Amino acid sequence: MKNKTDIVIDIEPISRRIIINQIETSILEVLLDFSIQIKSLCGGIGKCGKCKIIVQEGNKFLNPLSSAEKSLLTREEIQNGWRLACETKIATENKNKLKEINQPQFRIYLSENLLQEDFKILTSGKIKDTLLNPSIKKLFIDVEKPSLNKPIPDEERVLMALKLENDKDIFNFNFNVFKEISSILRESDHKITIVLRNGNEIISCEAGKTTDENFGIAIDIGTTTLVGYLINLNDGKTYSVASRLNPQTQFGEDIITRITYIKNNPDGLKKLNSILIEALNEIVVENCNKVNIKPSQIYEATIVGNSVMHHIFLGLNPISIGLSPYIPIIQHGLNVEAKKVDLNIFPEGNAYTLPIIAGFVGADTLGVILSSEIDKEEELTLIIDIGTNGEIVIGNKTSIAAGSCAAGSALEGAHIKDGMRAASGAIDSVKINPENLDISFTTINNKKPMGLCGSGLIDAVAEMLKAKIIAQNGNFNKNLIGNNRFVKKNSEVEFILVKKNQTSLNRDITISQNDIREIQMSKAAFYAGTKVILKNLNIDSQIKKISLAGAFGNYINKENAKFIGMIPDIPNEKIFQIGNAAGMGAQICLLNKDFRIKAEKLLKVIKYVEISTKKEFQKEFAEAMYFPHFNLKYFPSLIEYSNIPKR
Amino acid sequence: MKNKTDIVIDIEPISRRIIINQIETSILEVLLDFSIQIKSLCGGIGKCGKCKIIVQEGNKFLNPLSSAEKSLLTREEIQNGWRLACETKIATENKNKLKEINQPQFRIYLSENLLQEDFKILTSGKIKDTLLNPSIKKLFIDVEKPSLNKPIPDEERVLMALKLENDKDIFNFNFNVFKEISSILRESDHKITIVLRNGNEIISCEAGKTTDENFGIAIDIGTTTLVGYLINLNDGKTYSVASRLNPQTQFGEDIITRITYIKNNPDGLKKLNSILIEALNEIVVENCNKVNIKPSQIYEATIVGNSVMHHIFLGLNPISIGLSPYIPIIQHGLNVEAKKVDLNIFPEGNAYTLPIIAGFVGADTLGVILSSEIDKEEELTLIIDIGTNGEIVIGNKTSIAAGSCAAGSALEGAHIKDGMRAASGAIDSVKINPENLDISFTTINNKKPMGLCGSGLIDAVAEMLKAKIIAQNGNFNKNLIGNNRFVKKNSEVEFILVKKNQTSLNRDITISQNDIREIQMSKAAFYAGTKVILKNLNIDSQIKKISLAGAFGNYINKENAKFIGMIPDIPNEKIFQIGNAAGMGAQICLLNKDFRIKAEKLLKVIKYVEISTKKEFQKEFAEAMYFPHFNLKYFPSLIEYSNIPKR
């Protein structure tokens, strides 16, 4: 029997992996030891009930629910597996059992509000000048009062006033307007503001002049992050942005695990839907509070998200997307009353979801295509949208193709030993001096490092290549393994990026051979996917321009992305970082309703390529596993590779 | 101090007036003494809680709530004034107070379910052959299954199948269909039935072939009675009819008292709306049970009612209808999702309310106009719709005008001493032998008489005229007052129609001078209204045809109606009884949606005449107070009048 054993604890949703030797203390103390700051108002004595966690793996080794937990957690929370970190520890009788297992694994999910303020969620993106043509317009009208000579119904008198202000002739009233209009007219001396949708639908009436308060919200539902942009539809400006981690993360990191959850739980869809809507409604309220308006003054929402997020948002069952032949229920853009999806804006306001392209290329990608205007490009353009899922779009003004690859999550820190999301303390850029292997780095918010986020990982791998620490095939350079930058753990070699004393952890931050494999697979998926789509597009041209979209795409060192062979070898000045292009797609559909018609037209044009089932994919993928590629001729500008060994 | 006093008790909603000398017993016993059969399962010992009443007038003389009432009535019922008839009596200490008052009045409302089965509610009416063109059609389709080669979304494959069966190209899905379609397709081997509205709105999908179950309901919301006609939209046949008394009656007999109730009670509208909807939903369920379908298989409802009933049904505040200048909120036909008005049919089904013409000429009158097809008449036609309110329509194929008069309720028994609604035991026809004043009569259901309904009242008055019991001015013939058919009560003379021993009451059924005045006012309102409208129509023609609509109109002796001067003097063969024409209007709009377009066109054509404010009305009304009229030249065919004294 071993005396000590390494216990691996994965911390979600921040994708932190910590390794400890013994648990003699509570999980709260372990988290604090590793500088994972979580709220605990009472100092860990089981009084405040704030340090909520779900133990997703390893539950069987833990102590049963304490009386403090039974009193501080609701029955529903207990049913859903919530515990208090300060009260949860390995049960004494299980400690010896644990030692018999080789590297036991735990997985702990932290409640979002413990962490969120520390997160770096990409909310920005450049919107090309969009002509303002929202579907909502407000009109202030002065309605004639009724008299015995002219006993004209309220409806008719409002229509008469509207016709004076608007050249339309036929207006449809939203039924709910009739419930209020009589008293609103009489309270406001017959001076009212009409909220018009699409020029002729009267969706609301308000007392007096309220034309200035005319808001819409553009919503980006990411697998991991949610963003809401509050936009004034009169001037097209974004007045507030708010974001949240997607609370569905507690039920699985990626869309497949969430579909599985829905499949295995009768009320799974309802639960994933309701926690999503709840978080979106928090975003709505946060935005409203910043601008000092009420949610009912938001008259429209436009929504992007991948197909599964899109379906769950609408309360549609996404199971058929997860099973061959990967069929979504709907594809077209959809207009649905906000109250029917429980979105807390004006109840009869419209929630518009952008069309989805296929089961794995969703409304988010259509948002990227719309906002990038790839359909206007002369040059053949590659867009890669790097999020929890990766999507690839290639096209120009003559044709467009799109596909998806399971490539993103490594770059968000998943499956990487010291990987983490882009949060405080994440290493986001790395430099290695090839002479002495001295390392310099920066971290988010300049905090003591506790892991690497995606851009830091790409930098680290590129710098390790340049310093010949790894070869083109990704293997560690055996000649260097004696160097003090290397350490051997459980017969695996790891490269020490930051020494124990410099970290906020109790140990070194390292990069293992396995971590490099994960990066290789991720970048190979993008590169091979690009090649497969290019081939299926039947265009006799090479990529001339690249746009990197998504959170990760924005923080990445584009030269290093090219250096590791993630993207084709084109001049840096032709590589652009376009930010949250999916979210921008939602925004421009809000600013100008004509883009919704354009979205439907694009839908007919975009060719969907099911990348992984194409027979050429495997070969392309295998070759792309090399840094930058098995065949260096594809990367002619990377002259440093002449010095980097192939194996 | 008098030893005995007459206590007048008005019983609602049956409009029975009973007069007693003493209350020594409970109200239940009084009711049973007068053969007013009300449910009491326990025999009046305060155990079953069935004999619920509201004492609307005279409450101050009653005993306080008993402990039995406190335990058997809900808190809400107690707040609303409900009591148990078996526990309610005049408090001992108030008995002497009562005696000091001249003819104290009580008014008691009986809960509807105690009485209803006994009622005669007109549900029938002849529908002219209506071309079947309902807005709902069901289509059975066989949807292609998806494959990896053709990964087409559910939505798109359903549309492909639909296009094969239907020549339309653009279909809109109801959002809720998306929530079910995925599982319905997969459960039913992709063979499903689509419910289409207006040819292109997909409002529902059902597993397998369900094209036979395609129902709609036409609803007539009367001030006093509610009727629902369940119609199969495939063959246009009425499969079931169900009716209820309008439970709003407990808050007031006519629309003005209901508007007053709404004005004086903050939740008045909500209450009147909810009890109405509840009763309509009972009608829906009763109809469904008869035909063995579910309410969700009723895909559409069409609704008529006067403007106030229409507004309350929709949850719209009718207060402005009751105040000058008598403005409704809306006028046009309205389509609203059934669930938005809580109507228990298919939740996303359409509830269509016919347009209303003015504050006091509602959707019911438009229904009458539609179903009578007065717009196709060559001859100038008068329609009078006699219900709790009276409406008058005059027109032909060149023009149509309509107005309302407060004329109906006397003919429903209100304000008539022995008047009652058309229920069991009501005298519905009368003959008087002029020689000996012997009287023969018939009653509804051949029960022992307990009062007169409208047709009986008209007969009685006409026969009293023919027997010279009353003069043309309505006064009793003084020469006859010594006759044993006359009795003097409280210095007022009454004519005994049925002697005590023949009635099911404990007393004579009589007609008082005041009763005759009420009939005079009612018939004068119709006749004067007709003249005023005719004048405002600017047509140089006389009435050539008369249609009597409504429950009362159907049971009336048309010759006697003419004889008392209620309707113009035209040949009997030109007077028609068209039954519940308003309800038929709702039915034809259900059978053929084109009638809804026609309704809007008629709305532009129909001239509304505000009768009571026209200066000529008073003179016309005063002259029409005479039987048949002050000026006999208008009734040349009534030669018997040569023998009837003017005064």
Side-chain angles (χ1 to χ4, degrees), chain A residues 290-302:
Chain A
K290 282 191 212 162
V291 181
N292 199 22
I293 61 165
K294 283 174 286 186
S296 62
Q297 290 172 305
I298 301 176
Y299 302 101
E300 191 167 56
T302 54

mmCIF file of all heavy atoms in Angstrom, chain A residues 290-302:
data_model
loop_
_atom_site.group_PDB
_atom_site.id
_atom_site.type_symbol
_atom_site.label_atom_id
_atom_site.label_comp_id
_atom_site.label_asym_id
_atom_site.label_seq_id
_atom_site.Cartn_x
_atom_site.Cartn_y
_atom_site.Cartn_z
ATOM 1 N N LYS A 290 -28.283 49.339 -15.147
ATOM 2 C CA LYS A 290 -27.209 50.270 -15.516
ATOM 3 C C LYS A 290 -27.771 51.494 -16.246
ATOM 4 O O LYS A 290 -27.261 52.594 -16.118
ATOM 5 C CB LYS A 290 -26.198 49.565 -16.434
ATOM 6 C CG LYS A 290 -25.228 48.631 -15.693
ATOM 7 C CD LYS A 290 -24.106 48.196 -16.627
ATOM 8 C CE LYS A 290 -23.616 46.792 -16.319
ATOM 9 N NZ LYS A 290 -22.873 46.189 -17.416
ATOM 10 N N VAL A 291 -28.817 51.260 -17.050
ATOM 11 C CA VAL A 291 -29.331 52.339 -17.899
ATOM 12 C C VAL A 291 -30.581 52.973 -17.268
ATOM 13 O O VAL A 291 -31.110 53.955 -17.762
ATOM 14 C CB VAL A 291 -29.622 51.769 -19.307
ATOM 15 C CG1 VAL A 291 -30.138 52.828 -20.251
ATOM 16 C CG2 VAL A 291 -28.351 51.150 -19.893
ATOM 17 N N ASN A 292 -31.010 52.374 -16.139
ATOM 18 C CA ASN A 292 -32.180 52.882 -15.422
ATOM 19 C C ASN A 292 -33.476 52.803 -16.246
ATOM 20 O O ASN A 292 -34.231 53.769 -16.356
ATOM 21 C CB ASN A 292 -31.911 54.312 -14.942
ATOM 22 C CG ASN A 292 -32.853 54.722 -13.824
ATOM 23 O OD1 ASN A 292 -33.410 53.852 -13.150
ATOM 24 N ND2 ASN A 292 -33.055 56.010 -13.643
ATOM 25 N N ILE A 293 -33.686 51.668 -16.867
ATOM 26 C CA ILE A 293 -34.970 51.427 -17.527
ATOM 27 C C ILE A 293 -35.562 50.147 -16.942
ATOM 28 O O ILE A 293 -34.908 49.441 -16.168
ATOM 29 C CB ILE A 293 -34.833 51.270 -19.062
ATOM 30 C CG1 ILE A 293 -33.927 50.074 -19.415
ATOM 31 C CG2 ILE A 293 -34.340 52.549 -19.699
ATOM 32 C CD1 ILE A 293 -34.030 49.623 -20.853
ATOM 33 N N LYS A 294 -36.814 49.878 -17.308
ATOM 34 C CA LYS A 294 -37.452 48.638 -16.872
ATOM 35 C C LYS A 294 -37.335 47.591 -17.976
ATOM 36 O O LYS A 294 -37.339 47.955 -19.158
ATOM 37 C CB LYS A 294 -38.942 48.888 -16.585
ATOM 38 C CG LYS A 294 -39.199 49.577 -15.265
ATOM 39 C CD LYS A 294 -40.662 49.930 -15.111
ATOM 40 C CE LYS A 294 -41.021 51.108 -15.995
ATOM 41 N NZ LYS A 294 -42.391 51.603 -15.816
ATOM 42 N N PRO A 295 -37.279 46.308 -17.613
ATOM 43 C CA PRO A 295 -37.222 45.268 -18.657
ATOM 44 C C PRO A 295 -38.359 45.407 -19.669
ATOM 45 O O PRO A 295 -38.180 45.082 -20.849
ATOM 46 C CB PRO A 295 -37.337 43.963 -17.856
ATOM 47 C CG PRO A 295 -36.731 44.285 -16.533
ATOM 48 C CD PRO A 295 -37.135 45.719 -16.261
ATOM 49 N N SER A 296 -39.519 45.914 -19.240
ATOM 50 C CA SER A 296 -40.646 46.022 -20.176
ATOM 51 C C SER A 296 -40.409 47.108 -21.218
ATOM 52 O O SER A 296 -41.192 47.244 -22.147
ATOM 53 C CB SER A 296 -41.933 46.296 -19.411
ATOM 54 O OG SER A 296 -41.829 47.521 -18.732
ATOM 55 N N GLN A 297 -39.335 47.882 -21.070
ATOM 56 C CA GLN A 297 -39.011 48.872 -22.107
ATOM 57 C C GLN A 297 -38.069 48.306 -23.162
ATOM 58 O O GLN A 297 -37.598 49.017 -24.037
ATOM 59 C CB GLN A 297 -38.442 50.139 -21.463
ATOM 60 C CG GLN A 297 -39.512 50.902 -20.683
ATOM 61 C CD GLN A 297 -38.949 52.048 -19.881
ATOM 62 O OE1 GLN A 297 -38.042 51.873 -19.062
ATOM 63 N NE2 GLN A 297 -39.478 53.237 -20.100
ATOM 64 N N ILE A 298 -37.743 47.022 -23.027
ATOM 65 C CA ILE A 298 -36.991 46.333 -24.078
ATOM 66 C C ILE A 298 -38.032 45.617 -24.943
ATOM 67 O O ILE A 298 -38.707 44.706 -24.494
ATOM 68 C CB ILE A 298 -36.002 45.309 -23.482
ATOM 69 C CG1 ILE A 298 -35.024 46.001 -22.542
ATOM 70 C CG2 ILE A 298 -35.260 44.578 -24.599
ATOM 71 C CD1 ILE A 298 -34.075 45.042 -21.833
ATOM 72 N N TYR A 299 -38.171 46.047 -26.168
ATOM 73 C CA TYR A 299 -39.276 45.567 -27.003
ATOM 74 C C TYR A 299 -38.893 44.414 -27.911
ATOM 75 O O TYR A 299 -39.744 43.826 -28.556
ATOM 76 C CB TYR A 299 -39.846 46.711 -27.849
ATOM 77 C CG TYR A 299 -40.322 47.858 -27.016
ATOM 78 C CD1 TYR A 299 -39.553 49.006 -26.865
ATOM 79 C CD2 TYR A 299 -41.524 47.772 -26.329
ATOM 80 C CE1 TYR A 299 -39.984 50.048 -26.068
ATOM 81 C CE2 TYR A 299 -41.959 48.805 -25.526
ATOM 82 C CZ TYR A 299 -41.186 49.950 -25.401
ATOM 83 O OH TYR A 299 -41.599 50.982 -24.605
ATOM 84 N N GLU A 300 -37.601 44.134 -28.001
ATOM 85 C CA GLU A 300 -37.212 43.039 -28.892
ATOM 86 C C GLU A 300 -35.884 42.441 -28.433
ATOM 87 O O GLU A 300 -35.049 43.116 -27.845
ATOM 88 C CB GLU A 300 -37.093 43.534 -30.341
ATOM 89 C CG GLU A 300 -36.948 42.379 -31.306
ATOM 90 C CD GLU A 300 -37.134 42.777 -32.756
ATOM 91 O OE1 GLU A 300 -36.425 43.678 -33.222
ATOM 92 O OE2 GLU A 300 -37.984 42.165 -33.410
ATOM 93 N N ALA A 301 -35.720 41.154 -28.712
ATOM 94 C CA ALA A 301 -34.450 40.483 -28.444
ATOM 95 C C ALA A 301 -34.060 39.715 -29.699
ATOM 96 O O ALA A 301 -34.916 39.147 -30.377
ATOM 97 C CB ALA A 301 -34.594 39.523 -27.262
ATOM 98 N N THR A 302 -32.779 39.751 -30.018
ATOM 99 C CA THR A 302 -32.272 38.893 -31.093
ATOM 100 C C THR A 302 -31.272 37.946 -30.454
ATOM 101 O O THR A 302 -30.523 38.338 -29.555
ATOM 102 C CB THR A 302 -31.593 39.715 -32.191
ATOM 103 O OG1 THR A 302 -30.592 40.544 -31.593
ATOM 104 C CG2 THR A 302 -32.596 40.590 -32.929
#
